[in-house]
Amino acid sequence: MVLIPIVQMINALHIPTNQYTPIFMFITCSLPFSTFLYTGFIRSGVPEEVEEAAHIDGAGLFQRFWTVVFPLLIPVTVSVIITQGVWIWNDYFFNMIFISSAGDSPLPLAMLGFLGDQQNPTQWNVLFAACFLCALPLLLAFLFLQKYFIGGMTVGAVKG
């Protein structure tokens, strides 16, 4: 139901269908959830007094954001990166629709080439090795960022 209007909109906007089209779609689909997480976190996890103190000390808007507010947003930023990154990394739908050349396809989509057909049976050992290698970057990212991930998912959840 959604595919035909999306393709019509992309064509009406004269956006070329290449490897950048799925990136555009991922950004537009990720914005509502990311905004929801950031809003909840900022309301409960970033005190206004800290930013006001930096303003009184003479910090400009950009400096206040990067030195005061953004360090407080690290847990929610990591949560957005992990939750949206897993979805984007594993997505077949937009990539299959908008990427036509095999050289531009991402790893999860390229793994379809390991599936066999009637003449060539599937080599399961190669396919499972490719699945492991494809999941490895996400597992490593979660391993290194999990302490921030847990904090970012729980801080904005409680209304206080």
Side-chain angles (χ1 to χ4, degrees), residues 2 9 16 53 75 107 113 128:
V2 177
M9 181 184 63
L107 286 175
F128 287 136

Side-chain angles (χ1 to χ4, degrees), residues 27-45 73 76-77 79-80 83-84 152-159:
I27 290 171
T28 56
C29 291
S30 297
L31 278 176
F33 180 71
S34 302
T35 304
F36 173 73
L37 279 181
Y38 273 108
T39 303
F41 189 86
I42 288 172
R43 285 186 181 161
S44 65
L73 295 177
V76 73
T77 303
S79 298
V80 167
T83 56
Q84 299 304 307
M153 291 301 287
T154 58
V155 170
V158 179
K159 185 176 180 181

Side-chain angles (χ1 to χ4, degrees), residues 5-59:
I6 288 175
V7 172
Q8 287 176 346
M9 181 184 63
I10 294 291
N11 290 334
L13 294 173
H14 303 293
I15 297 174
T17 54
N18 53 21
Q19 72 266 22
Y20 300 112
T21 308
I23 294 171
F24 172 71
M25 296 303 301
F26 293 139
I27 290 171
T28 56
C29 291
S30 297
L31 278 176
F33 180 71
S34 302
T35 304
F36 173 73
L37 279 181
Y38 273 108
T39 303
F41 189 86
I42 288 172
R43 285 186 181 161
S44 65
V46 179
E48 291 180 26
E49 294 82 14
V50 175
E51 189 177 358
E52 289 174 0
H55 181 66
I56 292 172
D57 289 341

